[in-house]
Amino acid sequence: MEFNHQSVLAEEVLSFLDKKKSLKIIDATLGLGGHTLNFLKNRENISFIYCFDRDSDAIEIAKKRLEHFNKKIKYINDNFSNIQEHIKTKVDYIFADLGISSYQIENDKRGFSFNSDERLDMRMDKNQDLDAHHIINNFSTNDISEILKNYGEERNHKKIANQIGKNREIAEIFSCKQLSDLINRINYKKGKINSSTKSFMALRIAVNNELESLEKFLNNSTKLLKSSGKLMVISFHSLEDRIVKNFMKYLEKDCICPTSKMICDCEKTSELKILTKKPIVAKSAEINQNSRSRSAKLRIGEII
């Protein structure tokens, strides 16, 4: 199966990679390998890349795309939050693209797509037990409402959760399409963006524990970067971007004492310099070619 895979902000990310010294990189979110392929094709000075992904199927597809460079790559099938368990050396760059893979969206059998008649799934790691079907058919309506509100910022979270509760009393909500149709009847509006987008995003985040994994990844990543090493993260929604932004801001601070204190005694030192005071976003030409790039934000920090 062919997938419409386009790496977001590829040129912008590449522009921050050194052209001279030998580089070791961690691609913490390999996906179908687009960014890693871009790195290796355009920077001959890259000596090695550690590539992480929770999705074993995506890794197999990426291996075929990257077969020319496989001597420079180690593939690791694990959550990027666990990078410290696998990497025992310091690296020059750590990169993460937090967007969902085109393979997962376009492959109906993975249960992410709005129009799929397959079972609701949304697991990035197919070996884990919890999936979207279990949440929708077994969690309380209050819990579902909280997931939609907190992870999707869904305005009609209570209405949607209550309707889910009513529908599943009659029969289980089996497929993505069934759930999407239910949500669209509540959120009915015409437009290019599917009205169930926020709810589907919220479910995906809950299924894959994405925000907690992101926080753990960020905390572990700085321990693996050399001095002057760079952390580069592309996020696609406000919850992720806020976590990345606040993390980098905290590391950049050299004092966390309350403003009421006259003398600093917190012993906090600055660990990182933010290189993107405002996040880098896609240019109009890229957005015209790849609509999903419209929400992408790239933030970069350099270890002091």
Side-chain angles (χ1 to χ4, degrees):
M1 183 176 179
E2 293 294 324
F3 300 98
N4 179 27
H5 180 73
Q6 292 176 278
S7 298
V8 169
L9 295 172
E11 290 183 12
E12 289 81 356
V13 172
L14 186 65
S15 70
F16 281 87
L17 263 62
D18 196 295
K19 295 181 181 180
K20 297 179 181 178
K21 66 178 183 178
S22 177
L23 301 177
K24 282 186 179 179
I25 297 173
I26 295 174
D27 182 347
T29 52
L30 175 65
L32 301 189
H35 281 285
T36 284
L37 182 60
N38 191 43
F39 296 160
L40 290 166
K41 283 173 68 176
N42 291 285
R43 293 290 186 272
E44 292 182 1
N45 57 320
I46 293 174
S47 62
F48 206 78
I49 301 187
Y50 301 91
C51 292
F52 283 77
D53 208 285
R54 299 167 74 171
D55 190 334
S56 57
D57 290 349
I59 287 178
E60 290 307 310
I61 295 170
K63 280 182 179 178
K64 292 176 182 176
R65 296 185 76 204
L66 296 163
E67 60 184 352
H68 181 67
F69 301 101
N70 276 339
K71 290 182 179 179
K72 289 187 172 185
I73 300 172
K74 180 177 181 179
Y75 298 97
I76 301 163
N77 181 202
D78 200 356
N79 190 317
F80 69 170
S81 64
N82 297 324
I83 55 173
Q84 269 200 305
E85 295 177 16
H86 300 274
I87 311 297
K88 304 302 179 185
T89 184
K90 293 210 170 186
V91 300
D92 301 283
Y93 293 84
I94 297 179
F95 170 74
D97 176 341
L98 305 179
I100 183 171
S101 165
S102 58
Y103 158 70
Q104 291 161 335
I105 296 172
E106 295 172 28
N107 185 346
D108 284 350
K109 294 185 183 300
R110 296 303 300 270
F112 286 87
S113 172
F114 302 125
N115 298 315
S116 171
D117 288 317
E118 299 288 336
R119 175 188 167 100
L120 274 162
D121 193 328
M122 301 192 188
R123 292 173 299 167
M124 292 179 182
D125 177 356
K126 294 190 298 182
N127 293 316
Q128 77 174 41
D129 294 326
L130 180 66
D131 63 9
H133 181 275
H134 182 82
I135 290 175
I136 290 300
N137 289 285
N138 293 279
F139 279 29
S140 72
T141 55
N142 283 340
D143 285 344
I144 293 172
S145 176
E146 286 298 300
I147 287 170
L148 301 184
K149 180 180 74 170
N150 295 332
Y151 294 156
E153 299 176 318
E154 171 57 67
R155 184 167 52 89
N156 291 322
H157 58 94
K158 286 185 180 178
K159 286 183 181 179
I160 293 168
N162 288 335
Q163 192 59 51
I164 286 169
K166 290 175 183 177
N167 281 36
R168 71 189 187 188
E169 286 179 5
I170 300 168
E172 73 169 3
I173 299 170
F174 177 79
S175 72
C176 293
K177 190 174 188 309
Q178 283 178 287
L179 179 61
S180 181
D181 288 347
L182 179 157
I183 296 168
N184 287 336
R185 285 193 293 271
I186 295 171
N187 279 351
Y188 178 75
K189 62 180 179 180
K190 292 182 179 180
K192 293 182 180 180
I193 300 175
N194 191 298
S195 298
S196 56
T197 297
K198 289 184 176 181
S199 293
F200 269 58
M201 180 183 74
L203 278 172
R204 192 199 79 219
I205 290 171
V207 167
N208 297 291
N209 200 30
E210 291 180 30
L211 301 185
E212 290 81 359
S213 293
L214 173 58
E215 289 174 348
K216 185 179 175 184
F217 159 72
L218 291 171
N219 283 315
N220 286 337
S221 65
T222 55
K223 299 166 188 172
L224 292 173
L225 282 166
K226 298 176 183 177
S227 177
S228 299
K230 293 181 179 65
L231 173 64
M232 308 187 289
V233 184
I234 299 175
S235 61
F236 287 84
H237 59 78
S238 59
L239 297 177
E240 289 174 339
D241 183 57
R242 194 176 303 133
I243 290 171
V244 176
K245 178 179 70 174
N246 290 340
F247 175 78
M248 289 188 178
K249 278 188 171 182
Y250 176 81
L251 288 191
E252 190 175 50
K253 288 180 179 178
D254 57 9
C255 175
I256 54 172
C257 291
T259 53
S260 58
K261 273 202 169 186
M262 300 295 289
I263 300 174
C264 171
D265 60 0
C266 67
E267 299 184 353
K268 170 79 169 65
T269 57
S270 181
E271 302 170 63
L272 174 142
K273 178 184 178 182
I274 296 174
L275 302 182
T276 50
K277 295 304 179 184
K278 289 186 177 179
I280 296 171
V281 297
K283 298 181 177 70
S284 56
E286 180 175 1
I287 294 171
N288 290 335
Q289 286 188 336
N290 181 9
S291 61
R292 72 185 284 265
S293 68
R294 69 183 179 272
S295 57
K297 292 182 178 180
L298 169 62
R299 295 186 185 272
I300 301 174
E302 181 178 77
I303 296 297
I304 296 172

PDB file of all heavy atoms in Angstrom, residues 73-94:
ATOM      1  N   ILE A  73      22.066   3.457  10.660  1.00  0.00           N
ATOM      2  CA  ILE A  73      20.819   3.568  11.430  1.00  0.00           C
ATOM      3  C   ILE A  73      20.651   2.379  12.373  1.00  0.00           C
ATOM      4  O   ILE A  73      20.927   1.236  12.010  1.00  0.00           O
ATOM      5  CB  ILE A  73      19.590   3.631  10.489  1.00  0.00           C
ATOM      6  CG1 ILE A  73      19.678   4.834   9.547  1.00  0.00           C
ATOM      7  CG2 ILE A  73      18.299   3.693  11.297  1.00  0.00           C
ATOM      8  CD1 ILE A  73      18.612   4.847   8.472  1.00  0.00           C
ATOM      9  N   LYS A  74      20.179   2.688  13.588  1.00  0.00           N
ATOM     10  CA  LYS A  74      19.701   1.649  14.490  1.00  0.00           C
ATOM     11  C   LYS A  74      18.214   1.898  14.737  1.00  0.00           C
ATOM     12  O   LYS A  74      17.824   2.992  15.150  1.00  0.00           O
ATOM     13  CB  LYS A  74      20.449   1.666  15.824  1.00  0.00           C
ATOM     14  CG  LYS A  74      19.965   0.570  16.784  1.00  0.00           C
ATOM     15  CD  LYS A  74      20.754   0.541  18.085  1.00  0.00           C
ATOM     16  CE  LYS A  74      20.252  -0.575  18.991  1.00  0.00           C
ATOM     17  NZ  LYS A  74      21.009  -0.644  20.261  1.00  0.00           N
ATOM     18  N   TYR A  75      17.386   0.890  14.469  1.00  0.00           N
ATOM     19  CA  TYR A  75      15.943   1.011  14.653  1.00  0.00           C
ATOM     20  C   TYR A  75      15.546   0.468  16.018  1.00  0.00           C
ATOM     21  O   TYR A  75      15.958  -0.624  16.408  1.00  0.00           O
ATOM     22  CB  TYR A  75      15.198   0.243  13.561  1.00  0.00           C
ATOM     23  CG  TYR A  75      15.473   0.755  12.165  1.00  0.00           C
ATOM     24  CD1 TYR A  75      16.435   0.145  11.360  1.00  0.00           C
ATOM     25  CD2 TYR A  75      14.782   1.849  11.659  1.00  0.00           C
ATOM     26  CE1 TYR A  75      16.702   0.616  10.080  1.00  0.00           C
ATOM     27  CE2 TYR A  75      15.031   2.321  10.379  1.00  0.00           C
ATOM     28  CZ  TYR A  75      15.993   1.709   9.603  1.00  0.00           C
ATOM     29  OH  TYR A  75      16.235   2.176   8.339  1.00  0.00           O
ATOM     30  N   ILE A  76      14.726   1.248  16.732  1.00  0.00           N
ATOM     31  CA  ILE A  76      14.321   0.870  18.085  1.00  0.00           C
ATOM     32  C   ILE A  76      12.803   0.967  18.188  1.00  0.00           C
ATOM     33  O   ILE A  76      12.227   2.052  18.078  1.00  0.00           O
ATOM     34  CB  ILE A  76      14.988   1.785  19.143  1.00  0.00           C
ATOM     35  CG1 ILE A  76      16.518   1.691  19.015  1.00  0.00           C
ATOM     36  CG2 ILE A  76      14.544   1.390  20.551  1.00  0.00           C
ATOM     37  CD1 ILE A  76      17.265   2.807  19.686  1.00  0.00           C
ATOM     38  N   ASN A  77      12.163  -0.163  18.401  1.00  0.00           N
ATOM     39  CA  ASN A  77      10.701  -0.228  18.483  1.00  0.00           C
ATOM     40  C   ASN A  77      10.265  -0.015  19.930  1.00  0.00           C
ATOM     41  O   ASN A  77      10.098  -0.956  20.697  1.00  0.00           O
ATOM     42  CB  ASN A  77      10.236  -1.598  17.960  1.00  0.00           C
ATOM     43  CG  ASN A  77       8.728  -1.783  17.978  1.00  0.00           C
ATOM     44  OD1 ASN A  77       8.230  -2.902  17.990  1.00  0.00           O
ATOM     45  ND2 ASN A  77       7.982  -0.694  17.959  1.00  0.00           N
ATOM     46  N   ASP A  78      10.120   1.264  20.286  1.00  0.00           N
ATOM     47  CA  ASP A  78       9.731   1.607  21.655  1.00  0.00           C
ATOM     48  C   ASP A  78       9.199   3.038  21.681  1.00  0.00           C
ATOM     49  O   ASP A  78       9.422   3.827  20.752  1.00  0.00           O
ATOM     50  CB  ASP A  78      10.920   1.471  22.610  1.00  0.00           C
ATOM     51  CG  ASP A  78      10.502   1.337  24.075  1.00  0.00           C
ATOM     52  OD1 ASP A  78       9.287   1.425  24.375  1.00  0.00           O
ATOM     53  OD2 ASP A  78      11.388   1.148  24.925  1.00  0.00           O
ATOM     54  N   ASN A  79       8.519   3.368  22.755  1.00  0.00           N
ATOM     55  CA  ASN A  79       8.033   4.722  22.999  1.00  0.00           C
ATOM     56  C   ASN A  79       9.228   5.661  23.182  1.00  0.00           C
ATOM     57  O   ASN A  79      10.190   5.327  23.879  1.00  0.00           O
ATOM     58  CB  ASN A  79       7.171   4.715  24.272  1.00  0.00           C
ATOM     59  CG  ASN A  79       6.417   6.000  24.489  1.00  0.00           C
ATOM     60  OD1 ASN A  79       6.944   7.091  24.309  1.00  0.00           O
ATOM     61  ND2 ASN A  79       5.169   5.877  24.894  1.00  0.00           N
ATOM     62  N   PHE A  80       9.145   6.846  22.579  1.00  0.00           N
ATOM     63  CA  PHE A  80      10.279   7.779  22.687  1.00  0.00           C
ATOM     64  C   PHE A  80      10.528   8.255  24.105  1.00  0.00           C
ATOM     65  O   PHE A  80      11.582   8.796  24.413  1.00  0.00           O
ATOM     66  CB  PHE A  80      10.136   8.951  21.728  1.00  0.00           C
ATOM     67  CG  PHE A  80       9.034   9.951  22.014  1.00  0.00           C
ATOM     68  CD1 PHE A  80       8.989  11.142  21.306  1.00  0.00           C
ATOM     69  CD2 PHE A  80       8.046   9.745  22.955  1.00  0.00           C
ATOM     70  CE1 PHE A  80       8.005  12.093  21.544  1.00  0.00           C
ATOM     71  CE2 PHE A  80       7.053  10.680  23.207  1.00  0.00           C
ATOM     72  CZ  PHE A  80       7.035  11.856  22.497  1.00  0.00           C
ATOM     73  N   SER A  81       9.586   8.027  24.993  1.00  0.00           N
ATOM     74  CA  SER A  81       9.794   8.390  26.399  1.00  0.00           C
ATOM     75  C   SER A  81      10.879   7.526  27.042  1.00  0.00           C
ATOM     76  O   SER A  81      11.420   7.879  28.088  1.00  0.00           O
ATOM     77  CB  SER A  81       8.488   8.258  27.183  1.00  0.00           C
ATOM     78  OG  SER A  81       8.056   6.912  27.220  1.00  0.00           O
ATOM     79  N   ASN A  82      11.203   6.412  26.404  1.00  0.00           N
ATOM     80  CA  ASN A  82      12.173   5.471  26.972  1.00  0.00           C
ATOM     81  C   ASN A  82      13.552   5.579  26.339  1.00  0.00           C
ATOM     82  O   ASN A  82      14.332   4.616  26.397  1.00  0.00           O
ATOM     83  CB  ASN A  82      11.650   4.033  26.817  1.00  0.00           C
ATOM     84  CG  ASN A  82      10.359   3.804  27.576  1.00  0.00           C
ATOM     85  OD1 ASN A  82      10.158   4.338  28.661  1.00  0.00           O
ATOM     86  ND2 ASN A  82       9.463   3.023  26.990  1.00  0.00           N
ATOM     87  N   ILE A  83      13.887   6.723  25.754  1.00  0.00           N
ATOM     88  CA  ILE A  83      15.161   6.829  25.028  1.00  0.00           C
ATOM     89  C   ILE A  83      16.370   6.540  25.920  1.00  0.00           C
ATOM     90  O   ILE A  83      17.344   5.962  25.460  1.00  0.00           O
ATOM     91  CB  ILE A  83      15.335   8.192  24.326  1.00  0.00           C
ATOM     92  CG1 ILE A  83      15.179   9.357  25.309  1.00  0.00           C
ATOM     93  CG2 ILE A  83      14.387   8.338  23.176  1.00  0.00           C
ATOM     94  CD1 ILE A  83      15.509  10.705  24.678  1.00  0.00           C
ATOM     95  N   GLN A  84      16.295   6.912  27.189  1.00  0.00           N
ATOM     96  CA  GLN A  84      17.452   6.693  28.066  1.00  0.00           C
ATOM     97  C   GLN A  84      17.746   5.212  28.308  1.00  0.00           C
ATOM     98  O   GLN A  84      18.871   4.845  28.634  1.00  0.00           O
ATOM     99  CB  GLN A  84      17.237   7.396  29.398  1.00  0.00           C
ATOM    100  CG  GLN A  84      17.771   8.823  29.423  1.00  0.00           C
ATOM    101  CD  GLN A  84      17.979   9.303  30.849  1.00  0.00           C
ATOM    102  OE1 GLN A  84      17.071   9.275  31.660  1.00  0.00           O
ATOM    103  NE2 GLN A  84      19.174   9.751  31.148  1.00  0.00           N
ATOM    104  N   GLU A  85      16.742   4.366  28.132  1.00  0.00           N
ATOM    105  CA  GLU A  85      16.941   2.935  28.338  1.00  0.00           C
ATOM    106  C   GLU A  85      17.722   2.304  27.183  1.00  0.00           C
ATOM    107  O   GLU A  85      18.272   1.216  27.321  1.00  0.00           O
ATOM    108  CB  GLU A  85      15.585   2.235  28.488  1.00  0.00           C
ATOM    109  CG  GLU A  85      14.822   2.663  29.734  1.00  0.00           C
ATOM    110  CD  GLU A  85      13.458   2.006  29.828  1.00  0.00           C
ATOM    111  OE1 GLU A  85      13.230   1.002  29.108  1.00  0.00           O
ATOM    112  OE2 GLU A  85      12.620   2.482  30.609  1.00  0.00           O
ATOM    113  N   HIS A  86      17.751   3.001  26.046  1.00  0.00           N
ATOM    114  CA  HIS A  86      18.369   2.428  24.852  1.00  0.00           C
ATOM    115  C   HIS A  86      19.653   3.132  24.425  1.00  0.00           C
ATOM    116  O   HIS A  86      20.506   2.507  23.799  1.00  0.00           O
ATOM    117  CB  HIS A  86      17.383   2.469  23.682  1.00  0.00           C
ATOM    118  CG  HIS A  86      16.124   1.705  23.918  1.00  0.00           C
ATOM    119  ND1 HIS A  86      16.011   0.357  23.661  1.00  0.00           N
ATOM    120  CD2 HIS A  86      14.907   2.111  24.389  1.00  0.00           C
ATOM    121  CE1 HIS A  86      14.787  -0.050  23.960  1.00  0.00           C
ATOM    122  NE2 HIS A  86      14.097   0.991  24.403  1.00  0.00           N
ATOM    123  N   ILE A  87      19.778   4.402  24.746  1.00  0.00           N
ATOM    124  CA  ILE A  87      20.935   5.182  24.289  1.00  0.00           C
ATOM    125  C   ILE A  87      21.866   5.436  25.463  1.00  0.00           C
ATOM    126  O   ILE A  87      21.460   6.007  26.477  1.00  0.00           O
ATOM    127  CB  ILE A  87      20.504   6.538  23.672  1.00  0.00           C
ATOM    128  CG1 ILE A  87      19.386   6.340  22.654  1.00  0.00           C
ATOM    129  CG2 ILE A  87      21.710   7.237  23.036  1.00  0.00           C
ATOM    130  CD1 ILE A  87      19.746   5.510  21.464  1.00  0.00           C
ATOM    131  N   LYS A  88      23.117   5.021  25.315  1.00  0.00           N
ATOM    132  CA  LYS A  88      24.098   5.170  26.391  1.00  0.00           C
ATOM    133  C   LYS A  88      25.222   6.134  26.019  1.00  0.00           C
ATOM    134  O   LYS A  88      26.244   6.197  26.690  1.00  0.00           O
ATOM    135  CB  LYS A  88      24.685   3.802  26.754  1.00  0.00           C
ATOM    136  CG  LYS A  88      23.637   2.761  27.145  1.00  0.00           C
ATOM    137  CD  LYS A  88      22.786   3.210  28.321  1.00  0.00           C
ATOM    138  CE  LYS A  88      21.730   2.170  28.688  1.00  0.00           C
ATOM    139  NZ  LYS A  88      20.825   2.644  29.755  1.00  0.00           N
ATOM    140  N   THR A  89      25.036   6.882  24.958  1.00  0.00           N
ATOM    141  CA  THR A  89      26.028   7.857  24.522  1.00  0.00           C
ATOM    142  C   THR A  89      25.341   9.190  24.274  1.00  0.00           C
ATOM    143  O   THR A  89      24.137   9.226  24.007  1.00  0.00           O
ATOM    144  CB  THR A  89      26.721   7.373  23.221  1.00  0.00           C
ATOM    145  OG1 THR A  89      27.748   8.279  22.871  1.00  0.00           O
ATOM    146  CG2 THR A  89      25.715   7.276  22.067  1.00  0.00           C
ATOM    147  N   LYS A  90      26.082  10.277  24.345  1.00  0.00           N
ATOM    148  CA  LYS A  90      25.488  11.588  24.087  1.00  0.00           C
ATOM    149  C   LYS A  90      25.479  11.873  22.589  1.00  0.00           C
ATOM    150  O   LYS A  90      26.351  11.418  21.846  1.00  0.00           O
ATOM    151  CB  LYS A  90      26.233  12.674  24.857  1.00  0.00           C
ATOM    152  CG  LYS A  90      26.058  12.552  26.365  1.00  0.00           C
ATOM    153  CD  LYS A  90      26.132  13.887  27.059  1.00  0.00           C
ATOM    154  CE  LYS A  90      25.710  13.767  28.520  1.00  0.00           C
ATOM    155  NZ  LYS A  90      25.640  15.085  29.182  1.00  0.00           N
ATOM    156  N   VAL A  91      24.483  12.626  22.170  1.00  0.00           N
ATOM    157  CA  VAL A  91      24.297  12.899  20.744  1.00  0.00           C
ATOM    158  C   VAL A  91      24.263  14.405  20.488  1.00  0.00           C
ATOM    159  O   VAL A  91      24.182  15.214  21.422  1.00  0.00           O
ATOM    160  CB  VAL A  91      23.001  12.242  20.220  1.00  0.00           C
ATOM    161  CG1 VAL A  91      23.047  10.735  20.403  1.00  0.00           C
ATOM    162  CG2 VAL A  91      21.764  12.834  20.896  1.00  0.00           C
ATOM    163  N   ASP A  92      24.289  14.772  19.199  1.00  0.00           N
ATOM    164  CA  ASP A  92      24.331  16.185  18.811  1.00  0.00           C
ATOM    165  C   ASP A  92      22.947  16.788  18.621  1.00  0.00           C
ATOM    166  O   ASP A  92      22.739  17.981  18.864  1.00  0.00           O
ATOM    167  CB  ASP A  92      25.124  16.333  17.503  1.00  0.00           C
ATOM    168  CG  ASP A  92      26.545  15.824  17.641  1.00  0.00           C
ATOM    169  OD1 ASP A  92      27.371  16.536  18.227  1.00  0.00           O
ATOM    170  OD2 ASP A  92      26.821  14.694  17.176  1.00  0.00           O
ATOM    171  N   TYR A  93      22.004  15.964  18.168  1.00  0.00           N
ATOM    172  CA  TYR A  93      20.647  16.452  17.919  1.00  0.00           C
ATOM    173  C   TYR A  93      19.642  15.389  18.355  1.00  0.00           C
ATOM    174  O   TYR A  93      19.859  14.196  18.158  1.00  0.00           O
ATOM    175  CB  TYR A  93      20.409  16.719  16.427  1.00  0.00           C
ATOM    176  CG  TYR A  93      21.202  17.862  15.848  1.00  0.00           C
ATOM    177  CD1 TYR A  93      22.501  17.667  15.407  1.00  0.00           C
ATOM    178  CD2 TYR A  93      20.656  19.140  15.746  1.00  0.00           C
ATOM    179  CE1 TYR A  93      23.250  18.701  14.878  1.00  0.00           C
ATOM    180  CE2 TYR A  93      21.390  20.190  15.209  1.00  0.00           C
ATOM    181  CZ  TYR A  93      22.681  19.961  14.785  1.00  0.00           C
ATOM    182  OH  TYR A  93      23.414  20.999  14.262  1.00  0.00           O
ATOM    183  N   ILE A  94      18.547  15.866  18.922  1.00  0.00           N
ATOM    184  CA  ILE A  94      17.385  15.010  19.156  1.00  0.00           C
ATOM    185  C   ILE A  94      16.197  15.681  18.489  1.00  0.00           C
ATOM    186  O   ILE A  94      15.890  16.843  18.761  1.00  0.00           O
ATOM    187  CB  ILE A  94      17.109  14.778  20.652  1.00  0.00           C
ATOM    188  CG1 ILE A  94      18.291  14.047  21.298  1.00  0.00           C
ATOM    189  CG2 ILE A  94      15.829  13.980  20.841  1.00  0.00           C
ATOM    190  CD1 ILE A  94      18.129  13.802  22.787  1.00  0.00           C
TER     191      ILE A  94
END
